[in-house]
Structures are given as structure tokens and as C-alpha cells.
Amino acid sequence: MINKKLVALAAATMVVSTLFVGCGGNKAEEQSTEGSSQENTTVKTVEIPGEEDTTIVELTLENGTPVSVNIDTKNADGSMKSEASVSGEYDMKNDGKKWHEQIDLLEEAIVENNFDLSKINITDDEGHTDAISGVSIKVKGFVDAVQEALDQVK
């Protein structure tokens, strides 16, 4: 009876020891990351389904502060609107900038205004803005999506 107890105790000790050793390695990695001069960077992705497509916002934060944003649209067939715009497959049939160029300008304006979305003035019910030169697309849905992403990281 004592032998069974000793075997059980030895087995339990080995299991517990293994757990401590396994956890110890991860803790050391966390400490080295925290102790380094690298900033704590987090990427938050938010997908907002629409009637025909899905707006995707990728928000990059450094030490909890937003520093960049990527906006795109996933079409119903799974393709990305930015890729279609770059390739020429998606053409807005206007004389101005292509869709991806206008989204780039919107992203730049958001970052330049330190994510103060009130600076992106919506001028009509359709969602256009006059706050960003060269942008003729409807931006309200994109601005709302960025706000939702910001709300989720607070």
C-alpha cells in the first residue's frame, strides 16, 4: 500500500515539475520582450458586414495609441476591392483618383488628424466629404468603421 502511494506521489511530482518547467520558458520570453526597447504593437482588425460587401479596418496601436489604419472592402465573391482597384479590374469610371488611392488619402487624413474623426467632415447624406482633397468616394461608412474599431480597443 505504501508503494502505491509512493508511486502516485512520484508521478504527481513529475507532472507538476514538468508544468513548472514548461511555464518557466514562456515567462522568460515575456520578460525579455518587456525589457527590450521595442514598443508594444497591437493590430486590431474589425469586419463590418454590409448589404453587398464587408468593410475591413485594420488598426495598428503602439503602447495603446493608434498609429496607422488600413481600410479595405471584401466583395461578395471574396475579392478585395483595393486589389481590384490596383489591377484596374475595378474602375470607378471617373477622371479622378482610383478607389485605392482615395482610400489611401482617407487613411492619411485620419492619421494626420490623430484619429480625431470629427475632422473628416461629412458634407451630405450620401456620405461624401470635402475635408480631403482628391477624395470623391463616400467615406461615411469607412469613418464609422474606423470609429467602431477605436471603440473596441478602448
Side-chain angles (χ1 to χ4, degrees):
M1 180 117 113
I2 293 177
N3 285 340
K4 287 183 181 179
K5 287 183 180 179
L6 285 175
V7 171
L9 181 61
T13 303
M14 288 189 327
V15 169
V16 170
S17 297
T18 304
L19 288 174
F20 284 136
V21 170
C23 292
N26 289 339
K27 189 169 185 168
E29 288 176 10
E30 288 174 14
Q31 288 175 347
S32 66
T33 301
E34 290 173 6
S36 72
S37 62
Q38 295 178 352
E39 295 181 4
N40 180 15
T41 302
T42 306
V43 177
K44 174 70 176 175
T45 302
V46 176
E47 294 190 15
I48 302 170
E51 291 178 22
E52 298 176 9
D53 52 28
T54 300
T55 299
I56 300 172
V57 173
E58 186 179 271
L59 192 62
T60 303
L61 302 114
E62 289 180 0
N63 297 320
T65 302
V67 293
S68 70
V69 64
N70 251 342
I71 303 168
D72 207 342
T73 300
K74 184 189 303 182
N75 298 316
D77 65 1
S79 65
M80 301 305 291
K81 190 177 255 186
S82 61
E83 292 172 5
S85 176
V86 169
S87 72
E89 187 178 326
Y90 176 72
D91 184 8
M92 296 189 321
K93 308 281 189 248
N94 66 13
D95 294 330
K97 297 187 180 302
K98 294 181 176 187
W99 186 86
H100 70 280
E101 295 170 324
Q102 293 188 45
I103 285 294
D104 289 346
L105 290 172
L106 174 61
E107 294 166 350
E108 289 170 15
I110 290 170
V111 172
E112 287 171 5
N113 287 300
N114 295 314
F115 293 83
D116 180 357
L117 300 179
S118 67
K119 304 263 174 117
I120 311 296
N121 182 39
I122 306 301
T123 56
D124 61 28
D125 292 337
E126 293 179 353
H128 294 99
T129 184
D130 61 1
I132 308 167
S133 179
V135 175
S136 62
I137 59 174
K138 300 172 190 171
V139 299
K140 183 176 183 343
F142 300 120
V143 171
D144 290 347
V146 171
Q147 183 62 59
E148 188 169 327
L150 289 168
D151 291 345
Q152 288 186 23
V153 297
K154 287 184 181 179

